[in-house]
């Protein structure tokens, strides 16, 4: 059996050997070799024709890329709001343009190469392309989309994924030891290949190699054996597949023997999505799909829409704001048309040059750090930076009645393709006593979340503990208290930003702290509000 184990390798375990090609040298030594020169000239003409053909091939590249660019430039934000388009852009700039650069380098095209080299420093890298692929898989899981729906361009406004695209997504999953998604995307690549779609440099043998290994890792020996047999029909000399065939047959015989002794087939425990670190993943994704908890009629009857003047505040006595109850426990309210389009555009304009990967507060170190569960870009705007920011801060204070002088700066966040923020609390918990110590303003007593764009699909704010879902509406803001009047944290406020399926999500939030609220929201031992 040791021979079986020695040959049982994953698709990336073996590396192809490198071959060195030596160019032939032609040396002209005398006039007697003039005839040879004629032959050389003939070869040069042939080479020239090849060069011209290569240039024509480059023109075809240019025409294809020009068509894609023209389509995207009509509405860049909407175009990039589609996850497949974003993935293909990442792949195109990271992979295809590099191939084009190699093609151009064969010619003395210094100007183009110089220009391309300058711009390449701004191109996405492998990590970016991997992130875009992971976003596709995240959307696939959250919104229960099958690979064919995504690959065939059935999502509104999305391009189709080629065999190579599907294969590349599958390879990303494979590199993460995510064999569930590896199987899904490799199967899609094989399906499209079987349907006659061309795939330069990629064949069924390579895809079947990944497929057999991924299903084996999920405990499906019979499927692994079937894929291996099909691979060997195409390439009978495939060394690894021949070893795997014997291994799978041996293991399958043992499995059937064990099933016979135990009186039935044993179900695979490893099949399906990989183990998850998030305990409420299922509920989180259900809420993101719109499967929110249904309130009882009695509770619904207590939710109202009203004109709010915050106790006859001078600014709102004549023009009160529109307030709507979104949820009762905890009390979540939405303020409609609270910020104008002009103000929102100015905030975006100020934030765009400073957008960086969003950070979260690390309770261990007390510092801000990036996290895999928050996928967005953000920027911070101080009230002193522009009158519009100061005006929005003042409006938050007037509407909520809370002092914002001790609040954090306005945080502007942009959630693009697959952008999300998984379930979290805004306030510091008891096991994080020093969460906001450096600010000296106490805990986060309340959250103000302003939606600065509509989202075509996805992007809801969901409260996983209570089953509430709040959907983005441009110009509206939602508000809730994170702490009870007693100062204790309200764990019902655990919430998340769902992945954006289609569109582009812009939000800004204001985290209001305890200091300064002593006479605005008085302390109480009652944990109800």
């Amino acid at each position: 059996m040791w021979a079986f184990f020695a040959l049982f390798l994953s698709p990336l375990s073996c590396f192809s050997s490198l071959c060195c090609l030596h160019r032939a040298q032609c040396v002209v030594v005398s006039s007697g070799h003039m005839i040879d020169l004629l032959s050389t000239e003939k070869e040069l003409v042939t080479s020239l024709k090849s060069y011209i053909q290569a240039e024509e091939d480059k023109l075809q590249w240019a025409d294809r890329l020009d068509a894609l660019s023209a389509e995207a430039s009509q509405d860049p934000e909407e175009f990039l709001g589609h996850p497949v388009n974003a993935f293909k852009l990442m792949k195109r700039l990271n992979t295809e343009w590099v191939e084009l650069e190699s093609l151009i380098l064969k010619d003395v095209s210094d100007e183009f190469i110089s220009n391309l080299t300058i711009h390449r420093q701004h191109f996405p890298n492998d990590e970016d392309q991997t992130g875009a692929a992971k976003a596709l898989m995240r959307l696939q899981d959250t919104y229960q989309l099958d690979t064919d729906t995504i690959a065939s361009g059935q999502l509104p406004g999305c391009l189709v994924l080629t065999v190579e695209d599907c294969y590349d997504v599958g390879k990303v999953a494979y590199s993460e030891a995510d064999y569930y998604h590896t199987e899904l995307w490799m199967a899609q690549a094989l399906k499209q290949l079987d349907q006659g779609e061309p795939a330069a440099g990629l064949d069924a043998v390579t895809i079947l190699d990944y497929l057999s290994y991924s299903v084996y890792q999920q405990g499906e020996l019979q499927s692994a054996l079937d894929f291996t047999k099909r691979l060997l029909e195409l390439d009978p000399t495939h060394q690894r597949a021949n070893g795997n065939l014997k291994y799978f047959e041996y293991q399958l015989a043992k499995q059937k023997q064990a099933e016979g002794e135990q009186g039935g087939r044993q179900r695979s425990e490893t099949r399906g999505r990989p183990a998850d670190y998030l305990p409420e993943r299922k509920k989180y994704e259900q809420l993101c799909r719109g499967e929110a908890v249904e309130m009882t009629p009695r509770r619904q009857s207590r939710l109202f829409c009203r004109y709010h003047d915050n106790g006859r505040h001078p600014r709102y006595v004549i023009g009160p704001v529109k307030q709507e109850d979104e949820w009762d426990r905890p009390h979540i309210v939405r303020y409609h048309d609270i910020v104008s389009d002009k103000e929102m555009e100015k905030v975006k304009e100020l934030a765009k040059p400073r957008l960086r990967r969003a950070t979260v507060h690390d309770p261990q170190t007390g510092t801000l750090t990036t996290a895999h569960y928050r996928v967005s870009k953000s920027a911070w705007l101080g009230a002193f930076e522009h009158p519009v920011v100061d005006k929005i801060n003042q409006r938050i204070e007037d509407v909520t009645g809370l002092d914002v002088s001790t609040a954090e700066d306005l945080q502007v966040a942009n959630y693009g393709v697959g952008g999300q923020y998984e379930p979290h609390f805004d306030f510091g918990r008891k096991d994080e006593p020093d969460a906001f110590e450096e600010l000296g303003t106490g805990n986060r007593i309340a959250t103000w979340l302003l939606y600065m764009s509509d989202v075509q699909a996805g992007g809801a704010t969901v409260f996983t503990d209570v089953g509430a879902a709040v959907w983005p509406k441009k110009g509206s803001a939602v508000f809730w208290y994170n702490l009870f009047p007693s100062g204790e944290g309200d764990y019902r406020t655990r919430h998340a930003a769902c992945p954006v399926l289609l569109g582009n999500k812009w939000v800004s939030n204001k985290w209001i702290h305890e200091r300064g609220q002593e006479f605005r929201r008085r302390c109480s031992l009652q944990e109800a509000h």
Side-chain angles (χ1 to χ4, degrees):
M1 289 305 299
W2 289 108
F4 298 164
F5 288 102
L7 291 173
F8 183 64
L9 302 170
S10 68
L12 295 185
S13 298
C14 296
F15 296 90
S16 58
S17 59
L18 299 177
C19 298
C20 294
L21 300 178
H22 300 278
R23 283 177 287 183
Q25 297 182 4
C26 179
V27 180
V28 180
V29 292
S30 67
S31 58
H33 293 266
M34 291 296 180
I35 296 176
D36 294 337
L37 287 176
L38 289 174
S39 298
T40 301
E41 185 181 43
K42 184 177 181 181
E43 291 178 10
L44 289 173
V45 170
T46 303
S47 178
L48 177 62
K49 289 182 177 180
S50 299
Y51 168 78
I52 294 171
Q53 181 61 52
E55 292 299 310
E56 290 176 349
D57 291 342
K58 294 173 193 175
L59 286 175
Q60 292 178 3
W61 268 72
D63 290 339
R64 181 173 66 85
L65 293 170
D66 182 53
L68 288 168
S69 179
E71 180 182 355
S73 62
Q74 292 177 7
D75 191 337
E77 193 165 289
E78 181 179 351
F79 183 84
L80 293 175
H82 298 293
V84 170
N85 298 354
F87 167 74
K88 288 182 74 76
L89 176 64
M90 293 288 186
K91 180 188 174 187
R92 196 159 63 245
L93 290 176
N94 181 49
T95 305
E96 296 182 18
W97 276 93
V98 175
E99 295 174 1
L100 180 58
E101 181 183 11
S102 299
L103 187 64
I104 297 297
L105 277 170
K106 296 176 182 178
D107 183 26
V108 189
S109 303
D110 295 334
E111 182 178 349
F112 174 80
I113 295 302
S114 176
N115 194 27
L116 180 58
T117 302
I118 292 171
H119 285 86
R120 273 199 63 192
Q121 61 184 314
H122 303 296
F123 280 8
N125 54 27
D126 289 344
E127 185 179 351
D128 295 320
Q129 183 176 330
T130 296
K134 287 181 178 179
L136 277 180
M137 290 182 272
R138 183 162 57 244
L139 293 169
Q140 179 181 17
D141 293 339
T142 303
Y143 298 107
Q144 295 184 336
L145 304 171
D146 59 64
T147 50
D148 192 60
T149 297
I150 299 173
S152 60
Q154 292 181 41
L155 294 177
C158 287
L159 301 173
V160 298
L161 290 173
T162 63
V163 172
E164 293 98 325
D165 293 332
C166 296
Y167 171 77
D168 287 338
V169 175
K171 279 186 65 177
V172 169
Y174 182 86
S175 68
E176 300 286 319
D178 177 0
Y179 301 112
Y180 168 73
H181 288 105
T182 302
E183 178 192 354
L184 292 179
W185 285 98
M186 290 298 175
Q188 181 64 31
L190 185 63
K191 175 185 175 182
Q192 293 179 208
L193 197 64
D194 288 343
Q195 291 173 345
E197 182 181 319
L202 182 62
D203 56 26
V205 169
T206 303
I207 298 172
L208 286 165
D209 203 8
Y210 278 98
L211 267 174
S212 63
Y213 188 75
S214 63
V215 295
Y216 162 75
Q217 285 291 342
Q218 297 178 82
E220 292 295 323
L221 282 168
Q222 185 60 58
S223 296
L225 180 61
D226 293 341
F227 284 130
T228 302
K229 286 180 177 178
R230 182 178 171 187
L231 188 160
L232 288 170
E233 288 176 1
L234 299 172
D235 183 4
T237 63
H238 198 286
Q239 184 181 16
R240 182 170 55 252
N242 277 297
N244 290 349
L245 178 69
K246 298 174 184 178
Y247 179 81
F248 292 150
E249 288 175 338
Y250 171 76
Q251 291 292 341
L252 198 58
K254 283 180 59 179
Q255 184 184 80
K256 289 179 178 178
Q257 182 181 356
E259 289 169 0
E261 293 172 356
Q262 296 176 15
R265 184 175 186 271
Q266 300 298 306
R267 185 178 180 274
S268 170
E269 297 296 329
T270 55
R271 188 79 165 184
R273 289 172 63 178
D276 201 286
Y277 56 87
L278 191 64
E280 69 245 74
R281 172 73 63 187
K282 182 177 179 181
K283 187 172 185 179
Y284 161 55
E285 292 181 349
Q286 286 176 333
L287 291 171
C288 289
R289 292 193 295 269
E291 301 167 16
V293 173
E294 288 291 335
M295 272 191 178
T296 63
R298 184 175 182 180
R299 286 179 65 187
Q300 286 181 339
S301 69
R302 295 172 181 169
L303 302 181
F304 295 96
C305 292
R306 63 184 71 82
Y307 284 105
H308 174 75
D309 61 14
N310 194 19
R312 298 185 63 78
H313 189 284
R315 294 180 188 272
Y316 299 112
V317 170
I318 296 177
V321 296
K322 293 177 282 187
Q323 184 189 68
E324 177 186 1
D325 293 327
E326 289 281 357
W327 204 258
D328 57 349
R329 299 190 298 271
H331 192 205
I332 305 169
V333 297
R334 187 197 295 262
Y335 297 99
H336 292 272
D337 304 318
I338 197 68
V339 179
S340 69
D341 286 347
K342 186 177 180 180
E343 289 171 325
M344 288 185 284
E345 289 308 309
K346 174 53 69 173
V347 169
K348 292 179 189 177
E349 179 187 324
L350 293 170
K352 281 178 180 178
R354 286 188 270 173
L355 286 175
R356 298 292 183 272
R357 175 72 186 269
T359 56
V360 298
H361 190 274
D362 187 334
Q364 304 300 322
T365 63
T367 60
L368 294 174
T369 182
T370 58
H372 63 87
Y373 54 83
R374 187 177 194 187
V375 185
S376 65
K377 290 192 173 183
S378 66
W380 298 83
L381 301 178
F384 63 89
E385 297 188 56
H386 196 278
V388 166
V389 180
D390 188 41
K391 190 176 180 180
I392 290 175
N393 287 343
Q394 185 62 53
R395 192 171 304 152
I396 294 171
E397 180 167 318
D398 295 341
V399 171
T400 65
L402 298 176
D403 185 352
V404 300
S405 65
T406 59
E408 296 171 49
D409 285 343
L410 190 70
Q411 186 190 50
V412 182
N414 177 222
Y415 295 83
V417 51
Q420 64 167 4
Y421 191 175
E422 290 181 351
H424 62 282
F425 298 103
D426 282 349
F427 64 90
R429 273 79 68 208
K430 288 183 179 180
D431 59 346
E432 306 169 332
D434 303 326
F436 305 106
E437 184 179 20
E438 73 279 4
L439 298 178
T441 53
N443 211 340
R444 288 173 174 169
I445 192 173
T447 295
W448 171 281
L449 177 63
L450 170 67
Y451 297 109
M452 300 194 297
S453 67
D454 292 314
V455 180
Q456 287 178 262
T461 304
V462 298
F463 293 76
T464 53
D465 189 71
V466 297
V470 180
W471 298 89
K473 183 179 180 184
K474 187 177 182 180
S476 72
V478 292
F479 173 82
W480 67 87
Y481 282 101
N482 296 306
L483 306 179
F484 288 112
S486 64
E488 293 292 318
D490 187 348
Y491 285 80
R492 301 172 300 177
T493 62
R494 185 169 173 82
H495 61 286
C498 294
V500 175
L501 178 58
L502 295 174
N504 204 5
K505 180 181 175 183
W506 282 90
V507 299
S508 60
N509 54 272
K510 194 76 171 174
W511 283 309
I512 305 171
H513 284 247
E514 291 177 289
R515 298 294 177 264
Q517 320 308 337
E518 293 83 354
F519 298 102
R520 297 181 182 235
R521 190 193 191 222
R522 295 182 180 274
C523 296
S524 169
L525 295 179
Q526 300 295 321
E527 292 196 352
H529 60 279

